[in-house]
Amino acid sequence: MRVDPNYVSHLATAVDQSTLLEDQLASELSSGLRIRTLQDNPVVAARSVLIGSSISRDDNYVQAASGTQSLLQLTDSTLGEVVSQLTSALALSVQGSNGTLNASNLATIGQQIAGIRDEVLSLANTSYLGTYLFSGSQGSVKPFVINSGTVPATTIYTGDSATQTVETPTGQKIQTNLPGSGVFGTASSGVFSALNQLIADFSSGSPGASTATDISSLSSAISQVSAQRSILDSSLSRIQSTSTYFKTEESQLTAQQQTLVGAD
């Protein structure tokens, strides 16, 4: 019988390897991961890092998109109320210009339009989480201020014309705000200019030939608000669809990563 002089050494090595394998399996069982470090499998580990980066990118966008959707929904709701108020002002203006009302009736219409103007001004100065919706990039600046010391009154825009965007993981840029000057106009044109002119027309008790022009200006201003709202609605639709897409992609990548590095 031949005796292996290295028997004990080989046995010890085998025991060590068995112990190492047992420890590895126990670690995989507790962590749920087959690949935890670069040494375990450099190629697979590198692939897992790339997938993890994509998961993080998608998740960051989905989280940002959630807040942006809330912002856009509030802006859309605000503009819907603006259009409703302006439509009422237009109806009053047409009623007041038919030539059948006395001075007192006309003055009352002027007061009603003034009330609508003030309501629209409040809507134009709506804020969300401390940021004004319609001040461009000047989120902390109240965008519209009325000066009642002039006749007609003037409404001044104090924001800027900058548009802001959110970028998707694939590089698409989606507009997320509407500068107030583009929606409501400036001191000499747009929503507030038309309303202030009509208030002055009817408050005098004898609207003149310019009233028809002012009514036309208000009608055009309503169309401008609606056109800007359409831009916003398009952005909201794109935010919702891309958020859904990247949320689904995130789930798929997470499953892929788990399959790649997960314990058998």
Side-chain angles (χ1 to χ4, degrees):
M1 178 177 176
R2 185 177 179 183
V3 178
D4 185 355
N6 297 315
Y7 174 76
V8 175
S9 176
H10 290 163
L11 180 61
T13 300
V15 170
D16 288 342
Q17 290 175 341
S18 177
T19 301
L20 181 62
L21 179 58
E22 182 180 354
D23 290 342
Q24 180 180 347
L25 292 173
S27 176
E28 289 181 13
L29 183 62
S30 63
S31 67
L33 299 176
R34 178 170 54 87
I35 306 297
R36 293 178 300 150
T37 67
L38 188 62
Q39 294 179 357
D40 295 334
N41 188 320
V43 174
V44 172
R47 176 59 180 160
S48 177
V49 169
L50 289 175
I51 293 175
S53 177
S54 295
I55 291 172
S56 177
R57 175 203 65 186
D58 287 354
D59 185 64
N60 287 339
Y61 176 73
V62 169
Q63 296 301 320
S66 177
T68 302
Q69 283 185 62
S70 298
L71 173 67
L72 293 178
Q73 287 167 345
L74 175 60
T75 307
D76 180 68
S77 175
T78 300
L79 291 180
E81 180 60 24
V82 168
V83 170
S84 178
Q85 293 287 337
L86 293 179
T87 300
S88 296
L90 184 62
L92 284 169
S93 300
V94 171
Q95 176 189 346
S97 64
N98 62 16
T100 63
L101 302 181
N102 59 36
S104 177
N105 295 146
L106 293 172
T108 297
I109 287 178
Q111 292 171 358
Q112 290 175 310
I113 296 176
I116 290 173
R117 189 268 320 276
D118 293 343
E119 179 61 26
V120 172
L121 181 67
S122 177
L123 291 166
N125 285 329
T126 298
S127 63
Y128 174 72
L129 298 178
T131 300
Y132 289 102
L133 299 183
F134 300 108
S135 59
S137 65
Q138 306 296 312
S140 62
V141 176
K142 189 175 183 179
F144 290 96
V145 178
I146 188 167
N147 177 10
S148 299
T150 61
V151 180
T154 52
T155 306
I156 302 167
Y157 178 60
T158 59
D160 60 30
S161 60
T163 57
Q164 297 176 311
T165 61
V166 62
E167 186 171 344
T168 71
T170 53
Q172 301 177 59
K173 292 185 177 181
I174 303 174
Q175 184 173 332
T176 59
N177 75 320
L178 294 173
S181 55
V183 179
F184 300 96
T186 61
S188 59
S189 65
V191 169
F192 292 114
S193 174
L195 289 174
N196 287 330
Q197 290 286 351
L198 287 167
I199 292 167
D201 291 342
F202 291 113
S203 295
S204 68
S206 56
S210 63
T211 301
T213 300
D214 297 334
I215 291 174
S216 178
S217 296
L218 179 58
S219 180
S220 297
I222 294 173
S223 296
Q224 175 66 11
V225 173
S226 297
Q228 290 291 300
R229 190 183 181 193
S230 294
I231 294 173
L232 185 83
D233 289 342
S234 175
S235 292
L236 180 56
S237 178
R238 292 176 65 195
I239 288 284
Q240 290 171 333
S241 62
T242 54
S243 178
T244 298
Y245 174 83
F246 288 109
K247 188 174 183 178
T248 300
E249 182 179 77
E250 180 186 352
S251 298
Q252 293 172 340
L253 288 172
T254 300
Q256 183 180 342
Q257 185 183 51
Q258 181 59 38
T259 299
L260 189 66
V261 302
D264 297 331

